[in-house]
Amino acid sequence: MTLSPKFAISFQANTGQMWLYEPGGTVATTGFGMGAQTSPSVIGLGDAPYGNSYQIAFNAPSSLYTYEPGGWVTNTLLGPAPATSPSISPG
Amino acid sequence: MVSVSVTHQTTRDGLRWAAIWFAALLMLGMFSFARAASAGAASVGMQFSSHDYNDDSEEWAVLGHSGAQIFRVPFTPGDSENGNNFGYYDRVFELAAKQGVTILPNVGGRMNNEVGLPSSGEQAGWTEWIQKGFRRYGYNGLFWQQHPELPYRPAIAWEIWNEPNNAAISGTTITASQFGSFIKWAGPAIQSTSQSYGGQSTGVVMGGLLAWSTQTNWQTYLSSAYAAAGPSSITGIAFHPYELDTSLFPGKSRLQALKDVVSQTRSFVSGLQSGAGAAESLWITEYGWPAQREYSVSEQEQASLLKESVSWLQGQAAALNLHSILWYNYRDTSFDNTWAYRSGLRDEVGNYRRSWFAFEEAVGAPRWPIATTAIQANTGTLWLSQRNGGGGNTGVPMKAGTSPSIGQYNGSYKVAFQGTNGNLWYYTPATGAVNTGLGMASGTSPSITALQNGMIAFQGNNGNLWYFQTGGPVVDTGYGMKPKSSPSISWDPKRNRYPIGFQANTGELWIYEPGGFVGTTGLGMAPETSPTIAAVDGRSNEPNFTIAFQANTGQMWLYQNGGTVASTAWG
């Protein structure tokens, strides 16, 4: 479970899926399953001028994924160590 | 204006170098000038909204990525101890030069630190001060001679005063006649020094008139001030075309209002003093649109306005004889709770607005920052994955079952993690992997500040909460943590604090702020879980940070400093 300074909270719900909560807004599952005992990490992107406002990194059981609003999902094909979590930074 | 302490002593004002060195320096200087403002192109840059960050090396490391060519900085007697100690400005010019940025000194202030213009009794002292400043940072400046290791980035122009027609800024009313009379002696004081000492003319810009649509009668002010100053006192006129209040330009877009006022200003200035004004260059030393508070536009519109305005102004630069386009400003601060401190390319916390990337696009700078993810891969080593496809295996092994934490740091990134020896390590592209020698508790992970400063919190191998900063403090707080739990740290710029959330050995969520609040929230946490914290951008009376955590109900809760608690009801 991580908290972006501005945009959203992402967390692994007790369903095992990644959920996204935007303060003052909506909460919804992204539909993506996560590795056991792992947490997602989220940052704001501030993309100009028409890009996505945040990006989430999370460990699916077999691979590191990134998720952006609108359902843009990328499989990095990078296998994570068991029960560890990624951390994402603006750069 | 906030006073900044100065730590260095200028000692070598009399130092001169061999003629051959001067020749090389001047050649380099001509090259640098061309970079800052090539013929027909205006220099594009920005500034801080207060000068809290002007000598902050980490901010300059970020600014260096922006593509800014010029940066406006207040230049005052007060910040140079009336010319007896230029240490603060040495640092500003050094940091800017290292990033390839030219400083535009915004000259102001009095020898006695009082508001208003220098009095006639101060003229000699003020003149001596500004001439000393020029001899240090202008063409052929002593600072550049003393630092041949730095790129040569002398001040190419000196803007005298900031918004003299705005009593709220000046602290008192300055009449146009008074301002013009001041310019009449202050301008030549700078120019004569440039010609005699620097070996060439410099830009002397009459300063920064607030052009708030039609509301400040600024053209009348300019006309009177220019008449009193005389055309030979200056080489250019600076103004701040703020087209924020849409009620003042009905039927026009903000961009069109800007275009109109800039074009009209050129025509007006060219007609001053029977056409003498046609020789004056124009300098936009402030303009912009806020993303919060009054007059605000959306972040997307702010980005579009920035990009479109820079494009238009650059396209018109030759026709307008426009030399600078300075966006106001680089980053929000909580200095005051108005639009003027919410126009940043970054918000107060440090998040990058869309306008940051729009600025990069407008000046042709490579995109930066690029989202970077740190992960312990199934190789057991630290990997980095970047949004543009970059990254890779660092080859640095990590302790099994632990996770890294990455944050932006010094214009790059820094990763904290537990090494296979159980110690706290960090990794940066510049240093590679570094073992701090500090033991960590088994099965725990460190946390690093997200956007700057590189402060790390972790559970030490004595079970206590620790924090660590490279070149800074290493502190065992003495507060015990629950086994298998990890802290989370943030930086709150509003209070310059580092709030840390952690699960104490009581099972409750605690907060520890070095030099500040320490205590329990009284909220129970689920076993073997860790909170996450983030500083929150907001008004001064709003919370400074939010902590999300799994409560002992199994649900996610939110806690804000000030005591607001809420369950999200999500398991």
Side-chain angles (χ1 to χ4, degrees):
Chain A
M1 175 173 62
T2 63
L3 180 65
S4 157
K6 188 174 184 180
F7 296 92
I9 301 170
S10 59
F11 63 100
Q12 181 174 172
N14 52 14
T15 60
Q17 292 182 328
M18 183 176 71
W19 282 58
L20 185 61
Y21 168 70
E22 296 178 346
T26 57
V27 60
T29 178
T30 62
F32 292 97
M34 294 184 59
Q37 295 182 296
T38 69
S39 302
S41 180
V42 60
I43 56 160
L45 285 178
D47 258 8
Y50 307 110
N52 294 320
S53 56
Y54 59 82
Q55 186 177 48
I56 300 170
F58 67 98
N59 286 347
S62 61
S63 187
L64 169 70
Y65 280 70
T66 60
Y67 173 93
E68 294 179 28
W72 293 98
V73 179
T74 301
N75 181 355
T76 68
L77 303 178
L78 180 59
T84 67
S85 302
S87 173
I88 189 167
S89 162
Chain B
M1 184 162 296
V2 179
S3 176
V4 173
S5 63
V6 182
T7 56
H8 296 89
Q9 185 69 38
T10 303
T11 57
R12 294 191 289 171
D13 268 11
L15 186 64
R16 302 300 293 259
W17 294 70
I20 191 169
W21 165 245
F22 278 126
L25 199 63
L26 287 170
M27 287 178 66
L28 184 61
M30 284 186 281
F31 175 79
S32 302
F33 180 82
R35 181 191 183 283
S38 58
S43 296
V44 183
M46 58 180 111
Q47 59 210 284
F48 293 113
S49 57
S50 65
H51 74 351
D52 295 349
Y53 291 118
N54 280 327
D55 65 340
D56 186 312
S57 61
E58 188 160 5
E59 294 290 355
W60 276 103
V62 170
L63 276 165
H65 290 286
S66 70
Q69 299 156 323
I70 192 166
F71 201 88
R72 183 177 185 239
V73 171
F75 194 84
T76 67
D79 284 335
S80 58
E81 297 182 13
N82 287 348
N84 293 314
N85 187 340
F86 280 102
Y88 166 68
Y89 289 114
D90 280 1
R91 185 161 171 75
V92 171
F93 275 85
E94 176 186 347
L95 291 167
K98 284 179 174 175
Q99 302 300 333
V101 176
T102 299
I103 293 293
L104 174 65
N106 178 211
V107 181
R110 299 179 60 180
M111 306 305 285
N112 60 10
N113 252 344
E114 297 291 325
V115 298
L117 298 170
S119 66
S120 56
E122 289 175 276
Q123 181 174 343
W126 199 93
T127 297
E128 183 181 350
W129 163 74
I130 192 58
Q131 291 182 333
K132 199 171 182 179
F134 182 94
R135 291 196 300 270
R136 188 152 192 84
Y137 305 111
Y139 295 124
N140 198 23
L142 288 166
F143 175 78
W144 308 110
Q145 297 172 35
Q146 291 169 351
H147 295 282
E149 77 281 6
L150 295 175
Y152 183 53
R153 292 280 183 272
I156 59 172
W158 301 72
E159 181 192 17
I160 308 177
W161 225 257
N162 179 48
E163 299 188 0
N165 60 332
N166 181 3
I169 292 289
S170 301
T172 185
T173 297
I174 298 173
T175 67
S177 174
Q178 289 170 332
F179 185 58
S181 298
F182 164 62
I183 293 292
K184 189 171 186 175
W185 60 261
I190 297 171
Q191 192 62 275
S192 64
T193 309
S194 183
Q195 291 169 349
S196 64
Y197 183 85
Q200 65 187 100
S201 295
T202 190
V204 178
V205 183
M206 189 165 86
L209 292 160
L210 175 62
W212 185 274
S213 295
T214 57
Q215 293 302 291
T216 51
N217 295 319
W218 71 279
Q219 291 185 337
T220 302
Y221 190 99
L222 170 59
S223 180
S224 299
Y226 189 67
S232 63
S233 300
I234 58 173
T235 65
I237 290 169
F239 66 117
H240 300 167
Y242 281 112
E243 297 301 327
L244 309 186
D245 187 347
T246 54
S247 70
L248 299 177
F249 46 89
K252 290 183 186 176
S253 68
R254 292 174 174 85
L255 183 63
Q256 190 59 50
L258 176 75
K259 291 177 179 178
D260 288 352
V261 75
V262 172
S263 298
Q264 289 162 5
T265 298
R266 177 69 271 172
S267 299
F268 180 78
V269 168
S270 293
L272 290 173
Q273 292 290 290
S274 303
E280 308 294 356
S281 55
L282 291 185
W283 298 65
I284 294 176
T285 53
E286 285 186 23
Y287 89 109
W289 287 273
Q292 291 180 7
R293 310 293 188 264
E294 68 274 32
Y295 311 122
S296 63
V297 297
S298 70
E299 294 195 1
Q300 182 165 322
E301 187 172 7
Q302 186 194 40
S304 297
L305 283 166
L306 186 155
K307 198 170 174 184
E308 291 171 18
S309 62
V310 170
S311 175
W312 184 82
L313 290 166
Q314 281 286 33
Q316 299 296 313
L320 295 168
N321 193 12
L322 179 65
H323 283 217
S324 73
I325 304 166
L326 271 69
W327 180 267
Y328 181 89
N329 55 52
Y330 160 69
R331 179 171 176 169
D332 293 356
T333 69
S334 57
F335 185 72
D336 199 0
N337 199 17
T338 69
W339 70 268
Y341 303 94
R342 296 287 157 173
S343 301
L345 306 183
R346 302 177 71 188
D347 67 18
E348 183 183 352
V349 171
N351 295 298
Y352 294 83
R353 290 198 172 110
R354 294 180 175 201
S355 52
W356 168 269
F357 299 99
F359 187 94
E360 289 182 332
E361 291 176 16
V363 300
R367 182 191 171 86
W368 184 92
I370 296 168
T372 303
T373 302
I375 182 177
Q376 181 179 168
N378 51 17
T379 56
T381 58
L382 174 67
W383 281 64
L384 297 163
S385 174
Q386 293 188 306
R387 193 166 181 249
N388 64 352
N393 187 1
T394 67
V396 182
M398 290 182 58
K399 191 81 165 180
T402 67
S403 304
S405 179
I406 185 170
Q408 193 174 95
Y409 179 67
N410 260 349
S412 182
Y413 56 81
K414 186 173 189 175
V415 186
F417 61 98
Q418 184 170 162
T420 50
N421 62 359
N423 285 351
L424 173 68
W425 290 59
Y426 66 84
Y427 174 91
T428 73
T431 63
V434 176
N435 180 3
T436 67
L438 302 170
M440 291 186 62
S442 173
T444 67
S445 302
S447 170
I448 192 167
T449 45
L451 289 162
Q452 63 193 91
N453 298 337
M455 184 78 90
I456 299 168
F458 63 100
Q459 183 176 161
N461 55 12
N462 62 357
N464 286 348
L465 172 69
W466 289 58
Y467 61 91
F468 163 80
Q469 192 175 37
T470 306
V474 181
V475 176
D476 176 354
T477 67
Y479 288 93
M481 292 183 63
K482 202 76 167 174
K484 307 292 183 189
S485 71
S486 303
S488 183
I489 188 169
S490 185
W491 180 58
D492 168 16
K494 203 173 297 178
R495 300 174 301 145
N496 193 21
R497 299 277 192 207
Y498 293 89
I500 303 170
F502 66 102
Q503 183 171 171
N505 50 18
T506 61
E508 292 179 335
L509 173 67
W510 276 57
I511 295 165
Y512 181 95
E513 290 186 336
F517 174 80
V518 181
T520 180
T521 64
L523 303 169
M525 292 186 63
E528 298 188 8
T529 65
S530 304
T532 183
I533 188 171
V536 177
D537 186 73
R539 293 173 185 267
S540 58
N541 59 351
E542 290 179 345
N544 305 105
F545 61 80
T546 297
I547 299 174
F549 65 100
Q550 185 176 20
N552 52 15
T553 61
Q555 294 176 326
M556 181 170 74
W557 285 55
L558 301 177
Y559 173 87
Q560 295 178 324
N561 69 315
T564 303
V565 183
S567 168
T568 64
W570 297 301

